[in-house]
Amino acid sequence: MRKIIVLSFITLDGVMQAPGGPEEDTSGGFKYGGWVTPYFDEASGKVMEKQLKPADYLLGRKTFEIFASYWPEHNDYWPAINDGTKYVLSKTMNKSDWKNSVFLKGVDDIKKIKNSEGADLQVHGSGELIQTLLKHDLVDELWLKIFPVTLRSGKRLFGEGTIPAAFTLEENTVTPSGVIIANYKRAGKVKTGTIGV
């Protein structure tokens, strides 16, 4: 069985929209695109390099379109994205010129891929897809990069699809610029209790 690993840049208030640039995703009037840029440093780069290892990818249509317009021409930085299989959840797309692209129609297709043999599935961007994965308890790990900024508005990582779930911290780093990099693994149901008893 493959793991589904969500890799996400988020703000302190949980926004994940358009971390990479001003024009990446302006939907909803979002005007803070590129909010990660001032915080990237050598330590962040080393972690990113480690996390961009060969894998297969599970992407939403919008993220797929952004990636397909950029990564085939920038193979030198992240060759794995071009070589790996890209599974795309879309109701409107069913083909692409980008090699190794496979289109899925729904959650049942995702479950079949997850239950098959092969590389782990990394999810980058893909806010709506992440909500679907969380709703159906299909996320095995969260690899979060938490940036020291709040934006108030924008698409959030933990939105309407989030179900109660427990996670265990597997690995963490804090960069000199204040980015908290934390990898969490799914750890069953939420446990409750009373402090001091």
Side-chain angles (χ1 to χ4, degrees):
M1 182 187 302
R2 307 179 192 220
K3 290 189 290 189
I4 294 180
I5 303 167
V6 170
L7 296 88
S8 190
F9 301 108
I10 62 170
T11 64
L12 291 173
D13 58 341
V15 174
M16 65 176 293
Q17 186 170 350
E23 304 302 319
E24 184 178 351
D25 180 0
T26 58
S27 63
F30 190 72
K31 59 184 178 182
Y32 298 107
W35 49 267
V36 303
T37 306
Y39 302 99
F40 255 90
D41 54 26
E42 187 177 332
S44 301
K46 285 182 180 176
V47 171
M48 287 294 299
E49 192 175 301
K50 180 180 169 185
Q51 291 185 346
L52 297 180
K53 63 184 180 181
D56 284 344
Y57 305 91
L58 180 58
L59 304 170
R61 180 193 52 82
K62 292 175 192 172
T63 298
F64 176 80
E65 288 176 336
I66 292 168
F67 280 19
S69 70
Y70 182 83
W71 287 113
E73 305 303 319
H74 297 87
N75 193 56
D76 53 326
Y77 181 72
W78 190 14
I81 191 68
N82 289 310
D83 296 335
T85 301
K86 292 156 285 290
Y87 296 99
V88 185
L89 183 65
S90 176
K91 295 175 184 162
T92 58
M93 286 183 78
N94 58 19
K95 65 178 183 166
S96 171
D97 292 334
W98 196 11
K99 69 179 182 177
N100 303 325
S101 298
V102 176
F103 291 86
L104 310 175
K105 293 296 180 195
V107 173
D108 288 340
D109 293 335
I110 294 171
K111 288 178 180 178
K112 285 178 192 171
I113 300 299
K114 181 176 172 44
N115 289 319
S116 68
E117 294 296 319
D120 289 339
L121 300 161
Q122 290 190 355
V123 180
H124 296 263
S126 307
E128 290 179 30
L129 170 61
I130 291 171
Q131 299 311 305
T132 299
L133 295 172
L134 290 169
K135 180 180 178 181
H136 292 277
D137 200 13
L138 294 172
V139 175
D140 296 291
E141 296 183 16
L142 297 166
W143 293 2
L144 305 179
K145 288 156 247 3
I146 306 161
F147 288 76
V149 61
T150 57
L151 299 178
R152 187 177 81 174
S153 65
K155 296 174 186 172
R156 287 183 157 58
L157 176 61
F158 300 107
E160 296 299 315
T162 307
I163 62 169
F167 290 84
T168 301
L169 182 65
E170 294 287 301
E171 185 177 341
N172 67 85
T173 303
V174 179
T175 71
S177 63
V179 178
I180 299 168
I181 300 167
N183 296 356
Y184 294 93
K185 182 178 180 181
R186 187 73 168 80
K189 295 183 179 193
V190 174
K191 296 174 185 154
T192 63
T194 303
I195 295 175
V197 175

